[in-house]
């Protein structure tokens, strides 16, 4: 092998990754053709927002998808991983409005058309950031089919769906209480509201009786909304207020008479048991108002200031209005008391502004007819969640779902395809822009100014991206998709909506499996956020450690559906693993220079000489790994698949088999044994590279290209198969030899025998079968245990003098110590170490017995001290046993 063909001494991901990604993409390896005879496998990427850059959640989500795509591609499936981005209505509009504010202008001064031109320009400039970063991650997407939720095809699909649902009566417009964000100036859906615990107050306010009596005291967390009160409600069985039911009280400050009503919704135990009813500003009050036919009085503007219905408080911000109202009530003697109260406050998921419930005329999707079939397909098993516990969460939400508010008061997004005739008042909902009113012929038409919720277009993603409503070849081959990979936080936002839209418009599920993963948390278990400053930039991680290190770290050490804590220490250990693979591969290749192999796409065939026990063992372990990794991938347990690969490569192939072959590789006089070792080293390495390729695409491609094998790329090579080398007896026999080698190493370390000093070993095995196993492994034991003479006996009456021993299953190991170490010196050293341990034990016991320490120190500090004490006790037992052995030898 020439120098330019040799592997570099140190793996440099920076040099390798860009080279191979360009090679894959330019050669079209990610781009499947429609092949009706070939079995399909397809995934649609959850479309990231064009506003964003890659974060760790994206990195994990797309790594999981890429592993599945690369795995299925190697299995021979016609694999499509379809990428794309989302227009992200609120978020993108906010970004452009921030730009305009810096320029001293706003969207209203620009006008809708000019503003949208600016948004499209922004999208063109920044919208490709995340897709460029996904390439750095190694995502094997079909970029030739990349889609955008507002491209022409997706927009056509949105129109088709809206008009169809409208004509079926499943989309309607009506007054309803919605969540209003006064900063984003738009409605947001229930699941876009984040509820956070906040410290607040419960104000107790007296509403005097209209007949001059004491009236009733109500308790509220929002005194400013009393300006829109239309009733006071009590529970029908509450004896305290039975005399007031049906009578009127005076609304303070406004001086309007309002009735006292009874409703079972009222909690008798909360506050005073009497609640103020403001239908226009509370969702529960809204429902109660409908039941009792109460008026809806809106007291707020869209910017959360008080409007003309607020009297003298008009123009005040809601919180300033609250302060003044409380002050005025106090002066009137109507503020009974204020008590601290912690309660959940709804906040906008985009900007964290406190959401204002507000009655507004909006567009809604009627959910019950769509939800029922979406529940049934999961209950019937036609669509499965992995892990299946998320199916209960999904069905529970759909069983209690409210109608979906789909209109947003934004300019960026899919415009609602409804026009209003300015002459006859007709409402026109059509797929193509109308030029005249179908009722009166008027040309005075005005389109609804609102746009659709971003999730409306995202709900169509699995089929709109494949060309629907046209019946395309892609739809025929790749829909339904095989699996959806997504986070648990958007099951309601996105997953459920895709399912009911797929059933409604394609009469089939959009995917057969939903693989749910958890969130990435910081080392303390907190969600990563800008406010906490605990976020990690995956691009910086890739630049420092390489994409394969980040990928493997993100998918290992975790079980499906659970959150993952991010530790930089884990990145370091993962990088060590990559270096281990690199160094092992480099060692193997350096010893293959004279290896005569038939260069072919997949190694197979008879071996040139009889296999040793170690050869048979590594082939058996390799095939067991193939079988178990494949099974783990099939059940979407990618973390377990990664763990199995780590254990096999590091502990079995590198630490054991490579070490066991070194002597044979250096046997120039026995070419047959040397070639056998070479071939098995090569074939297991090559197969293992294919096995771990989906997890570490760049490293494996670089190594595979140096191997003596034909093929354009490892990503199009075949997935490893089981060929019948699995042998449990071979593995049991080899484990005996490995246990002996470990035992000898432990004894040498415990007794302080110099690493290079060869020692005699005595093995006693009563069973005949064990004797033959030991005989076959003599050379391996001698090599790895640094042995001089090895004696094998079936039985022995007395323990050899001056020896250390270990009892294993079926064999006892003895090492004569005479001549290996100074026993007197070793005994003195052990006794000294025991004395030090006793002192440290007492110090820790005194510390942990001190209530001043255990009650005041952080729990983690106390636990660390307990663990230190436990470690000392274990070490003490070991030292005392060792002292006993040494003392016996001196007698």
């Amino acid at each position: 092998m020439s120098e330019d063909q040799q592997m570099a001494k140190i793996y440099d991901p920076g040099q390798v990754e860009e080279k191979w990604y360009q090679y894959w993409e330019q050669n079209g390896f990610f781009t499947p053709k429609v092949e009706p005879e070939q079995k399909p496998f397809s995934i649609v990427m959850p479309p990231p927002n064009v506003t964003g850059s890659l974060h760790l959640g994206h990195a994990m989500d797309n790594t999981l998808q890429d592993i599945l795509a690369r795995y299925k591609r190697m299995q021979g499936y016609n694999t499509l991983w379809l990428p794309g981005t989302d227009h992200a209505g609120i978020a993108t509009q906010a970004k452009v409005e921030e730009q305009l504010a810096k320029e001293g202008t706003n969207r209203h001064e620009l006008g809708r058309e000019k503003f949208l031109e600016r948004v499209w320009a922004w999208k063109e400039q920044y919208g490709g950031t995340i897709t460029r970063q996904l390439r750095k991650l190694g995502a094997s997407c079909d970029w030739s089919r990349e889609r955008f939720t507002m491209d022409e095809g997706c927009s056509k699909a949105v129109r088709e769906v809206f008009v169809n649902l409208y004509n079926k009566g499943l989309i309607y417009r009506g007054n309803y209480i919605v969540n209003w964000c006064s900063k984003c100036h738009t409605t947001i859906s229930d699941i876009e509201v984040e509820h956070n615990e906040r410290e607040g107050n419960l104000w107790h306010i007296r509403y005097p009786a209209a007949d001059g009596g004491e009236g009733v005291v109500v308790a509220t967390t929002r005194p400013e909304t009393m300006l829109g009160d239309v009733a006071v409600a009590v529970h029908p069985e509450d004896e305290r207020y039975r005399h007031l039911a049906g009578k009127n009280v005076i609304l303070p400050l406004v001086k309007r008479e309002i009735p006292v009503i009874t409703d079972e919704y009222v909690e008798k135990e909360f506050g005073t048991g009497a609640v103020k009813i403001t239908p226009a500003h509370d969702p529960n009050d809204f429902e109660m108002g409908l039941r009792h036919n109460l008026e809806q009085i809106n007291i707020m503007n869209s910017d959360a200031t008080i409007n003309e219905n607020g009297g003298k408080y008009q123009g005040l911000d809601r919180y300033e209005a609250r302060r003044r109202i409380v002050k005025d009530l106090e002066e009137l003697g109507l503020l009974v008391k204020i008590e601290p109260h912690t309660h959940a406050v709804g906040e906008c998921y985009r900007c964290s502004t406190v959401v204002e419930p507000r009655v507004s005329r909006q567009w809604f999707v009627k959910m019950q007819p769509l939800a029922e079939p979406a529940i049934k397909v999961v209950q019937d098993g036609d669509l499965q969640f992995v892990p299946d516990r998320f199916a209960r969460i999904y069905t529970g939400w759909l069983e209690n779902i409210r109608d979906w508010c789909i209109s947003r008061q934004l300019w960026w997004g899919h415009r609602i395809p409804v026009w209003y005739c300015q002459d006859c008042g007709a409402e026109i909902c059509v797929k193509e822009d109308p030029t005249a009113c179908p009722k009166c012929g008027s040309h005075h038409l005005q389109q609804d100014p609102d746009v659709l919720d971003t999730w409306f277009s995202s709900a169509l993603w699995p089929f709109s991206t494949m060309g629907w409503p046209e019946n395309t070849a892609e739809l025929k081959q790749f829909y339904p998709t095989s699996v959806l990979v997504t986070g648990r936080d958007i099951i309601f936002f996105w997953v459920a909506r895709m399912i009911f839209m797929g059933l409604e418009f394609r009469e089939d599920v959009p995917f057969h499996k939903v693989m749910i993963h958890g969130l990435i948390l910081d080392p303390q278990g907190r969600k990563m956020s800008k406010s906490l400053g605990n976020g990690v930039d995956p691009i910086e991680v890739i630049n420092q450690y390489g994409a394969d290190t980040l990928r493997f770290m993100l998918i290992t050490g975790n079980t499906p559906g659970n959150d993952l804590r991010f530790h930089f220490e884990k990145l370091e250990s993962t990088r060590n693993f990559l270096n281990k693979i690199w160094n092992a591969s480099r060692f193997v290749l350096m010893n293959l220079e004279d290896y005569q192999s038939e260069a072919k796409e997949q190694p197979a065939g008879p071996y040139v000489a009889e296999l040793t026990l170690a050869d048979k063992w590594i082939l058996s372990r390799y095939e067991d790994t193939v079988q178990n990794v494949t099974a783990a991938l099939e059940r979407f347990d990618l973390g377990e698949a990664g763990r199995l690969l780590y254990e096999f490569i590091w502990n079995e192939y590198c630490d054991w088999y490579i070490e066991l072959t070194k002597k044979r590789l250096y046997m120039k006089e026995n070419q047959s044994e040397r070639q056998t070792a070479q071939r098995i080293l090569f074939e297991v390495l090559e197969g293992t590279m294919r096995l771990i390729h989906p997890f570490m695409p760049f490293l494996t491609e670089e190594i595979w290209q140096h191997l003596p094998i034909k093929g354009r790329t490892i990503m199009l090579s075949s997935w490893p198969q089981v060929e019948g080398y699995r042998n449990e007896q071979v593995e049991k026999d080899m484990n005996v030899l490995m246990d002996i080698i470990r035992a000898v190493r432990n004894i040498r370390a415990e007794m302080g025998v110099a690493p290079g000093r060869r020692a005699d070993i005595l093995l006693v095995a009563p069973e005949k079968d064990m004797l033959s196993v030991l005989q076959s492994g003599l050379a391996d034991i001698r090599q790895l245990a640094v042995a001089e003479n090895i004696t094998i006996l079936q039985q022995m009456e007395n323990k050899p003098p001056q020896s250390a021993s270990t009892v294993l299953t079926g064999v006892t190991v003895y090492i004569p110590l005479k001549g290996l170490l100074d026993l007197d010196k070793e005994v003195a050293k052990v006794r000294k170490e025991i004395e030090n341990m006793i002192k440290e034990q007492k110090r820790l016991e005194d510390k942990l017995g001190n209530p001043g320490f255990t009650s005041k120190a952080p729990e983690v500090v106390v636990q660390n001290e307990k663990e230190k004490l436990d470690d000392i006790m274990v070490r003490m037992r070991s030292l005392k046993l060792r002292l006993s052995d040494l003392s016996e030898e001196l007698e």
Side-chain angles (χ1 to χ4, degrees), residues 470-710:
E470 304 301 323
N471 192 21
T472 63
E474 278 81 5
L475 272 172
K476 291 175 184 175
Q477 171 127 54
F478 296 114
Y479 188 93
T481 61
S482 307
V483 60
L484 174 76
V485 179
T486 192
R488 62 172 172 79
D489 53 333
I490 56 172
I491 293 174
F492 310 140
F493 281 99
W494 191 43
V495 179
R497 289 166 175 169
M498 281 190 289
I499 293 170
F500 64 68
M501 287 295 196
L503 291 169
E504 177 69 17
F505 291 95
R506 293 293 300 165
E507 298 181 347
D508 203 346
V509 292
F511 24 75
H512 294 294
K513 306 270 188 183
V514 181
M515 178 186 171
I516 300 292
H517 60 75
L519 306 178
I520 300 183
L521 309 175
D522 74 2
Q524 285 76 48
R526 301 172 301 175
K527 190 174 179 180
M528 291 186 177
S529 69
K530 288 180 182 176
S531 60
L532 289 173
N534 61 348
V536 175
D537 183 350
I539 298 302
E540 289 183 8
V541 174
I542 289 172
N543 289 339
Q544 184 176 352
Y545 292 91
D548 287 337
T549 297
L550 176 62
R551 288 166 62 108
F552 199 75
M553 177 266 172
L554 287 174
I555 63 97
T556 49
N558 200 26
T559 51
N562 291 335
D563 294 341
L564 173 74
R565 293 195 183 194
F566 182 92
H567 295 276
F568 275 99
E569 295 81 5
K570 195 178 169 191
L571 272 175
E572 295 287 349
S573 65
T574 304
R575 179 165 62 181
N576 292 341
F577 178 47
L578 265 78
N579 289 335
K580 184 87 168 179
I581 295 172
W582 181 260
N583 292 333
S585 303
R586 190 168 174 271
F587 169 82
V588 171
L589 278 161
M590 286 169 62
N591 285 279
L592 292 180
E593 290 180 358
D594 62 338
Y595 175 57
Q596 302 299 316
S597 98
E598 296 178 15
K600 50 192 174 297
E601 290 190 12
Q602 184 175 332
Y607 290 97
V608 292
E610 186 178 347
L611 303 182
T612 66
L613 177 61
D615 294 336
K616 295 173 184 175
W617 169 77
I618 197 64
L619 287 170
S620 181
R621 293 304 308 136
Y622 166 69
E623 291 216 339
D624 183 65
T625 304
V626 169
Q627 198 165 352
N628 289 325
V629 167
T630 304
L633 287 171
E634 287 298 321
R635 66 176 184 269
F636 302 105
D637 193 351
L638 277 57
E640 173 64 5
R643 186 195 68 80
L644 290 166
L645 286 163
Y646 181 97
E647 291 293 327
F648 172 74
I649 294 170
W650 190 300
N651 297 330
E652 295 177 334
Y653 185 71
C654 294
D655 283 1
W656 283 101
Y657 187 69
I658 286 181
E659 292 303 313
L660 287 165
T661 58
K662 283 182 178 177
K663 188 175 180 181
R664 292 158 69 198
L665 289 172
Y666 304 147
M667 295 173 71
K668 299 289 185 185
E669 70 284 357
N670 192 333
Q671 285 300 306
S672 177
E673 281 198 36
R674 173 177 162 79
Q675 285 182 16
T676 301
Q678 285 177 318
R679 181 162 187 175
I680 295 177
L681 275 171
F682 158 65
E683 294 197 3
V684 174
L685 175 64
E686 192 277 337
T688 303
M689 289 304 97
R690 285 185 281 139
L691 204 59
I692 202 168
H693 170 72
F695 301 82
M696 300 179 178
F698 296 111
L699 176 82
T700 52
E701 184 74 83
E702 180 71 11
I703 293 170
W704 195 81
Q705 293 286 350
H706 281 88
L707 291 171
I709 192 166
K710 281 182 181 177

Side-chain angles (χ1 to χ4, degrees), residues 844 848 853-854 859-873:
L844 287 168
L848 290 167
F853 169 72
T854 54
E859 187 179 341
V860 65
V861 174
V862 176
Q863 185 60 34
N864 284 341
E865 296 300 282
K866 287 180 179 177
E867 289 173 3
K868 285 182 190 175
L869 182 58
D870 290 341
D871 291 343
I872 282 172
M873 301 307 290

